[in-house]
Amino acid sequence: MSQQSKIALVTGGSRGLGKNMALNIARKGLDVVLTYNSKKESALGTIAEIEQLGQKAIALQLNTADVKSFDSFFELLKQELSVKFGTQKINYLVNNAGIGINSLFAETTEEDFDSLFNIHFKGVYFFTQKALNILEDGGGIINISTGLARFSRPGYSAYASMKGAIEVLTRYQAKELGARGIRSNAVAPGAIATDFGGGIVRDNEQVNKITASTIPLGRVGLPEDIGGVVAFLCTDDARWVNAQRIEVSGGQNI
């Protein structure tokens, strides 16, 4: 009988950075559970690509801002894990789901603030707390942060503040979950050309050019620059990497 593959759960794994993470994790020989908020077709396409790599995968709908939905999500997840993978446990959790809202500090509304807070901090905090029941000892948590928690660009005060909180939370998770052999690390992408934040880095030539000038390697990042680093953290090669903020930005704004 073949050995059970390890399983990674990637939130927001249907497109962009999350999709690239999911595919790279599958290339490492792990099975994948990915969540999507609304883009079911994209999620199913990603599932098909993972299966072409020879790994199993499922996609489940999740709104990471809706803490009250988490209990029913994890009940469904356990059922799906049993059916598809023959287990009720996962080994790695990648907290990737997110949105971008660009507004200056003086103009940020309470509504926008709450939206960012619920998705990027409160949701991650309690989703991970609930996930502890199905996370195997010796596993790992990877929280996605941002380069903007280190360097500042106008318009991201609320978003980056939530990610700063995530980086502190990461260290506390590492401290408190170490007895279970669970590692927690934060990966902080720099500017990446995706549809994130309305695709501003990818589609606005001026923004792309100005941003590239702040990066010693002379270009903005691509999703494939990030996924492999996250996938590495989902392997035993990273067993001694813990409580770290790993920035993957090409050296942006050094």
Side-chain angles (χ1 to χ4, degrees):
M1 185 176 168
S2 63
Q3 191 181 2
Q4 164 78 44
S5 292
K6 290 187 175 179
I7 300 167
L9 167 58
V10 182
T11 66
S14 64
R15 60 189 226 287
L17 289 186
K19 175 180 179 177
N20 194 266
M21 292 169 197
L23 291 172
N24 274 284
I25 288 168
R27 289 187 187 108
K28 296 280 190 188
L30 283 78
D31 294 332
V32 181
V33 177
L34 60 88
T35 76
Y36 63 93
N37 184 24
S38 58
K39 305 236 172 0
K40 185 174 184 179
E41 290 306 311
S42 298
L44 294 176
T46 303
I47 293 297
E49 288 186 54
I50 291 169
E51 288 174 343
Q52 284 172 352
L53 294 168
Q55 297 302 134
K56 296 178 187 170
I58 56 172
L60 297 175
Q61 195 277 331
L62 172 70
N63 175 2
T64 55
D66 184 8
V67 174
K68 289 182 174 56
S69 72
F70 293 169
D71 283 337
S72 57
F73 172 85
F74 279 107
E75 284 307 310
L76 177 61
L77 174 59
K78 284 194 280 191
Q79 292 171 26
E80 294 288 332
L81 286 169
S82 294
V83 172
K84 185 81 176 181
F85 306 107
T87 180
Q88 289 199 335
K89 298 283 190 177
I90 62 171
N91 303 91
Y92 298 98
L93 170 61
V94 181
N95 287 308
N96 166 72
I99 62 166
I101 296 176
N102 184 335
S103 62
L104 294 172
F105 169 69
E107 296 160 11
T108 296
T109 64
E110 186 178 1
E111 184 182 19
D112 282 349
F113 183 96
D114 286 347
S115 180
L116 287 164
F117 173 75
N118 288 334
I119 291 170
H120 287 285
F121 188 59
K122 183 181 178 182
V124 171
Y125 191 103
F126 288 105
F127 188 78
T128 306
Q129 186 189 76
K130 300 275 188 192
L132 293 179
N133 293 325
I134 64 162
L135 186 61
E136 285 274 28
D137 290 358
I141 298 163
I142 298 97
N143 296 317
I144 304 306
S145 180
T146 176
L148 293 162
R150 175 179 63 82
F151 54 82
S152 305
R153 297 186 88 174
Y156 293 102
S157 63
Y159 171 78
S161 294
M162 307 312 166
K163 292 301 195 180
I166 282 295
E167 291 184 8
V168 173
L169 175 63
T170 298
R171 296 194 293 274
Y172 273 84
Q173 288 170 342
K175 188 85 163 175
E176 295 186 18
L177 302 175
R180 290 182 52 188
I182 293 171
R183 299 173 295 109
S184 184
N185 293 287
V187 171
I192 309 290
T194 66
D195 59 8
F196 186 81
I200 186 164
V201 174
R202 182 188 63 191
D203 302 332
N204 183 318
E205 193 178 344
Q206 188 183 7
V207 170
N208 190 300
K209 200 170 172 182
I210 291 168
T211 304
S213 73
T214 68
I215 300 173
L217 296 177
R219 64 171 176 83
V220 300
L222 300 168
E224 47 266 36
D225 294 323
I226 309 299
V229 178
V230 172
F232 158 72
L233 291 170
C234 296
T235 69
D236 287 340
D237 285 345
R239 63 188 171 273
W240 208 236
V241 181
N242 193 22
Q244 298 306 299
R245 176 193 193 272
I246 302 169
E247 185 169 305
V248 191
S249 69
Q252 187 172 353
N253 289 88
I254 51 170

